[in-house]
Amino acid sequence: MKFTHHLKGVAIAAMTVLAVSAGSANAAEKLRIGTEGAYPPFNEVDANGELQGFDVDIAKALCASMGADCTFVKQDWDGIIPALNKRKFDAIVASMSITDERKKAVDFSEHYYTNKLQFVGKKGMAMDVSAAGLKGKTIGAQRATISGDWLEKNRADANIKLYDTQENAYLDLSSGRLDGILADAFVNYGWLESDAGKGFEFKGKPVFENDFIGIAVRKGEDQLRMKLNKAIKDIVANGTYAKINAKYFPFSIY
Amino acid sequence: MSWDTFVNMLPLLAEGALLTVELLLLSAVAGLILAVPLALARVSRTWWVSIGPRTYIFFFRGTPLLVQLFLVYYGLGQFEAVRESFVWPVLREAYWCAAITFSLHTSAYISEILRGAIQAVPGGEIEAARAIGMRPHQVYARIILPRAFRMALPAYGNEIILMLKASALASTITLLDLTGMAKTISAKNYMPVETFITAGAFYLIITYALTHLIRFLEKHLHPDRKEPVVIVG
Amino acid sequence: MIDLHGFGALLLAGTMVTLQLALAALVLGLILGLLGATAKLSELAPVRLLGNGYSTLVRGLPEFLVVLTFYFGATDALMGVASWFGYDEYIEVSAFAAGTTALGFIFGAYASELFRGAIIAIPPGQAEAARALGMTRRQTFSRITLPQVWRIALPGLGNLFMILMKDTALVSVVGLEELMRVTAFAVGRSKEPFTFYLTAAVIYLILTSIASYGLKRLEKRASLGVRELSA
């Protein structure tokens, strides 16, 4: 019966983790990478349920460079840091910005790309993205992201709506519930290029640049962190990074 | 969880609780108002009068509130016709989508409660009313409905409590009700369990207050009555 | 017909998971309900307190909140217990397990009231007679009490099961690939929320209708030989 099948699944998962932990720590390292899967083009799930995207490709390249055996675990954004700390996975490669607040809970590697935040809104509609211009306007962002935080700090007069996923925010922008969205410029770029994004455009200059995106690991996991830093340097140096970059963007995002 | 973290989340949770209670009262009242004509049409013996309410009730009781909410919030927004129409300024707001969906949802349940109460009004009283020459609408207004409302009060009170708990779903469409606030807070303090338990305590307090309010109303409106029999599970 | 853009198979798979979740939670809920009822009827005050506390507490909380708390808290709780035994690694609590436990807990809280009411509705003389005939407590319970409890509580339990089936939609929020979750996925790909959520609504209607019909049949069977007083 399917029910016992699930029970077996839980038991097998528990035993696997036990077995894995028993053999980990050194050579042919097994690494579990946590990612969201709802953040195209950086991480998303294709029609077959497979994870893909820039983050996924970078993670695979890093693992190859480190000689580690990597598996991917999908995790909703809201619970991703608690899950890391509970050891559901060992590293988060999900376009997570390095912030002081997050550094209280986790440690970060060096950055693997640099992001900026930019507004998007409907084409043909003038939108002043200054604090005065957005007063009373409805702006959306994903919850627990620096976009959300930035809006709360700098555009408190606007009507801020926070969403579980970036996708839901775009849905509401398309239907006209939102006057605009603040999100990572590259994610916006990906959406604007898609069918759903037709009729929308960037509004104003990027409001926050030098947002460094890194890999989160548990506090104290310095060995892993060093290995990741070295791997990042290596793939940038040997051109692997540039190849992956080019697959998604016609400009460098490092 | 440190004492500071706990104290800091309280004002935000209280704000969320306010929104929850607001939505609750709105849908409780609107649901009741909608339920009356619904119940009256439902008890009609003419099939084409009762078929509409019966379908409505079947739909709203047979599907999860979450589906109903998404249908109204995301589903209706799909159509150009809706977006260009005069209802869009209302449907555009998550608050109204939630209020409307909750009201429709609860009206289906309340109308069934009313229907049961209407059918439980002693036949003798109705006969007597007719015998002294009251017109049908007078029978309804003076005999049936007042009796029915009094009988329905415990179950209606029950339904309000159920609606309070269902209201937590408003958080799924960006509303910062009690649950929505709890989610937002826990996304920043990385302590979901502690935050949700605190929010749970808020819900229990509101439930307790509401239950006592309803019991008070019951006593006040029907002082001769014994403990009401709650049939709904 | 509605164009499902090829997501039909996915929706069906999601429906299967919904059913599995509902049935698993039902089993857990019935067990907890019986235990809760027995606790509430116990001679020991602390046990009664436990039973009543469990029931009152869980019935006063939003199901959605309970599901969220169980999902986030289950891993903590399990790992906390495991670390007493020296096991410090991650223990995976699937969304299915968390959802089943949460929904089962909720079902049990309500069911315990139903069972309690049903048990005390059985004339105590029957139990006395059974004991006088030499039956053990267990035999009395399983041969005399339980079958009648089942009959009396069935309508209420059936109602609870319908609510349970609809509450499975809540577990979508914690990642379980049941009907609601796969519908949201299809919506994300197709950008047609109305089509897919309406389809999901229809599927739920079919499920609740089948359950409702099945329930009526069960009630008939359970009431065989019992003369119904005219309503």
Side-chain angles (χ1 to χ4, degrees):
Chain A
M1 248 236 326
K2 277 295 181 77
F3 172 53
T4 42
H5 173 76
H6 269 284
L7 263 188
K8 259 206 283 184
V10 170
I12 289 175
M15 285 195 291
T16 312
V17 168
L18 183 52
V20 163
S21 70
S24 75
N26 284 316
E29 188 162 354
K30 284 195 193 293
L31 214 56
R32 289 163 302 170
I33 310 279
T35 194
E36 189 193 5
Y39 204 61
F42 290 98
N43 53 78
E44 59 180 323
V45 177
D46 70 9
N48 296 322
E50 296 292 315
L51 281 166
Q52 50 174 229
F54 180 85
D55 286 336
V56 179
D57 290 345
I58 291 285
K60 285 189 183 145
L62 291 174
C63 288
S65 175
M66 292 190 299
D69 184 7
C70 285
T71 45
F72 287 87
V73 181
K74 216 167 15 130
Q75 170 64 43
D76 281 355
W77 184 250
D78 276 344
I80 206 166
I81 287 186
L84 174 73
N85 286 329
K86 286 210 234 333
R87 309 185 113 90
K88 186 169 176 178
F89 29 79
D90 308 302
I92 297 175
V93 184
S95 295
M96 182 173 275
S97 305
I98 303 174
T99 68
D100 289 330
E101 216 182 65
R102 287 186 181 138
K103 279 199 188 144
K104 289 191 207 146
V106 295
D107 283 342
F108 281 98
S109 70
E110 291 298 317
H111 72 277
Y112 67 93
Y113 77 88
T114 310
N115 177 48
K116 27 193 175 187
L117 299 182
Q118 205 168 5
F119 284 93
V120 285
K122 207 163 167 135
K123 260 195 196 136
M125 237 181 49
M127 193 161 117
D128 171 12
V129 298
S130 69
L134 287 183
K135 190 170 168 159
K137 293 260 191 275
T138 313
I139 307 288
Q142 190 180 5
R143 179 167 53 225
T145 60
I146 57 171
S147 299
D149 290 343
W150 192 92
L151 281 175
E152 278 170 356
K153 276 203 198 80
N154 299 292
R155 296 287 183 269
D157 279 340
N159 194 2
I160 302 170
K161 294 240 165 256
L162 296 176
Y163 292 81
D164 284 356
T165 62
Q166 189 60 41
E167 252 170 30
N168 281 341
Y170 283 132
L171 259 177
D172 267 3
L173 181 62
S174 295
S175 69
R177 282 210 167 87
L178 295 172
D179 296 315
I181 282 185
L182 180 64
D184 295 357
F186 306 125
V187 175
N188 282 336
Y189 177 83
W191 184 73
L192 290 173
E193 294 286 303
S194 73
D195 284 331
K198 287 191 179 28
F200 294 89
E201 59 184 3
F202 280 112
K203 297 288 183 198
K205 291 211 178 322
V207 293
F208 182 65
E209 316 206 35
N210 300 323
D211 168 28
F212 292 120
I213 306 292
I215 301 174
V217 297
R218 285 182 287 275
K219 277 199 160 313
E221 295 264 0
D222 288 324
Q223 224 193 23
L224 177 58
R225 206 161 57 85
M226 295 304 173
K227 282 209 192 120
L228 285 168
N229 286 342
K230 179 169 184 306
I232 293 172
K233 276 208 191 67
D234 288 342
I235 64 169
V236 170
N238 67 25
T240 318
Y241 185 93
K243 245 201 297 189
I244 298 176
N245 193 153
K247 188 170 156 194
Y248 295 92
F249 306 103
F251 40 79
S252 169
I253 66 173
Y254 182 55
Chain B
M1 174 169 67
S2 71
W3 180 250
D4 273 336
T5 325
F6 176 70
V7 169
N8 284 338
M9 62 167 83
L10 291 180
L12 286 171
L13 286 178
E15 215 182 295
L18 228 59
L19 182 62
T20 292
V21 174
E22 208 181 296
L23 273 174
L24 178 64
L25 290 177
L26 203 66
S27 34
V29 171
L32 182 60
I33 296 174
L34 277 171
V36 177
L38 211 55
L40 291 175
R42 171 76 178 79
V43 299
S44 163
R45 272 177 255 224
T46 346
W47 77 263
W48 47 265
V49 172
S50 68
I51 190 79
R54 281 199 292 167
T55 317
Y56 175 95
I57 294 167
F58 177 62
F59 177 79
F60 278 99
R61 282 175 26 134
T63 56
L65 179 59
L66 192 60
V67 179
Q68 297 162 14
L69 206 54
F70 282 9
L71 259 175
V72 172
Y73 187 72
Y74 290 118
L76 289 182
Q78 180 189 326
F79 302 112
E80 276 289 336
V82 173
R83 299 208 293 269
E84 310 279 313
S85 74
F86 65 95
V87 292
W88 186 239
V90 173
L91 287 180
R92 192 177 181 253
E93 295 295 317
Y95 180 85
W96 291 115
C97 286
I100 291 171
T101 315
F102 290 163
S103 303
L104 293 175
H105 178 89
T106 194
S107 73
Y109 287 89
I110 298 175
S111 76
E112 282 295 270
I113 293 170
L114 274 178
R115 177 174 76 90
I118 289 173
Q119 291 175 329
V121 172
E125 294 191 19
I126 305 177
E127 279 179 27
R130 292 215 182 108
I132 54 176
M134 280 200 211
R135 303 308 216 63
H137 71 268
Q138 285 177 316
V139 179
Y140 263 105
R142 297 188 193 181
I143 308 294
I144 298 182
L145 285 182
R147 279 292 242 132
F149 276 127
R150 283 231 208 87
M151 280 196 277
L153 192 52
Y156 175 64
N158 221 25
E159 176 59 28
I160 295 184
I161 305 285
L162 290 177
M163 202 58 232
L164 167 69
K165 301 193 295 159
S167 73
L169 288 176
S171 60
T172 61
I173 55 169
T174 80
L175 285 172
L176 289 177
D177 70 329
L178 189 43
T179 306
M181 275 294 183
K183 275 208 236 170
T184 311
I185 294 169
S186 68
K188 291 222 178 95
N189 66 20
Y190 306 122
M191 286 193 285
V193 180
E194 292 88 335
T195 316
F196 289 143
I197 289 180
T198 315
F202 270 84
Y203 275 109
L204 287 174
I205 293 171
I206 301 175
T207 307
Y208 185 77
L210 270 176
T211 313
H212 278 262
L213 180 65
I214 292 164
R215 287 228 188 105
F216 173 76
L217 278 174
E218 280 177 31
K219 271 221 183 85
H220 190 73
L221 286 173
H222 217 140
D224 55 310
R225 182 97 84 96
K226 310 188 298 269
E227 260 292 292
V229 178
V230 175
I231 305 163
V232 176
Chain C
M1 271 307 297
I2 324 174
D3 177 14
L4 287 174
H5 299 276
F7 283 108
L10 191 64
L11 289 181
L12 209 60
T15 312
M16 287 297 122
V17 177
T18 294
L19 283 172
Q20 288 167 31
L21 178 63
L23 290 171
L26 176 66
V27 171
L28 180 64
L30 286 173
I31 296 172
L32 285 175
L34 278 172
L35 284 174
T38 343
K40 287 186 195 178
L41 294 168
S42 160
E43 287 142 0
L44 303 161
V47 179
R48 279 206 304 273
L49 188 64
L50 193 66
N52 282 315
Y54 157 57
S55 184
T56 316
L57 201 72
V58 176
R59 286 191 299 168
L61 294 170
E63 294 82 353
F64 189 42
L65 197 65
V66 176
V67 169
L68 284 174
T69 315
F70 266 79
Y71 177 69
F72 284 104
T75 348
D76 283 345
L78 265 178
M79 283 171 68
V81 172
S83 68
W84 288 346
F85 297 96
Y87 182 71
D88 278 321
E89 278 306 319
Y90 176 73
I91 301 180
E92 169 83 29
V93 177
S94 68
F96 186 87
T100 305
T101 318
L103 293 178
F105 243 70
I106 295 168
F107 188 93
Y110 286 93
S112 71
E113 257 310 293
L114 282 174
F115 281 133
R116 186 184 75 92
I119 290 175
I120 59 183
I122 298 172
Q126 294 187 9
E128 280 179 28
R131 300 301 301 284
L133 285 174
M135 286 199 209
T136 65
R137 270 201 180 201
R138 221 200 241 159
Q139 284 176 319
T140 315
F141 191 72
S142 67
R143 293 188 198 183
I144 308 294
T145 319
L146 203 52
Q148 295 189 73
V149 162
W150 173 243
R151 178 177 55 81
I152 298 173
L154 194 52
L157 288 176
N159 203 29
L160 285 181
F161 181 64
M162 308 279 270
I163 297 173
L164 172 63
M165 270 210 298
K166 292 184 283 173
D167 281 348
T168 57
L170 301 174
V171 190
S172 67
V173 181
V174 297
L176 183 64
E177 312 273 351
E178 44 68 70
L179 180 53
M180 207 51 199
R181 180 87 169 181
V182 303
T183 309
F185 179 73
V187 166
R189 299 249 144 200
S190 67
K191 311 286 188 246
E192 284 181 32
F194 191 78
T195 316
F196 284 96
Y197 286 125
L198 190 64
T199 311
V202 170
I203 295 178
Y204 278 110
L205 277 175
I206 294 174
L207 289 177
T208 48
S209 300
I210 294 176
S212 179
Y213 175 71
L215 194 64
K216 287 213 180 82
R217 295 286 301 271
L218 269 178
E219 281 180 35
K220 265 219 180 89
R221 272 203 66 194
S223 300
L224 282 177
V226 177
R227 240 181 325 162
E228 270 291 314
L229 293 167
S230 53

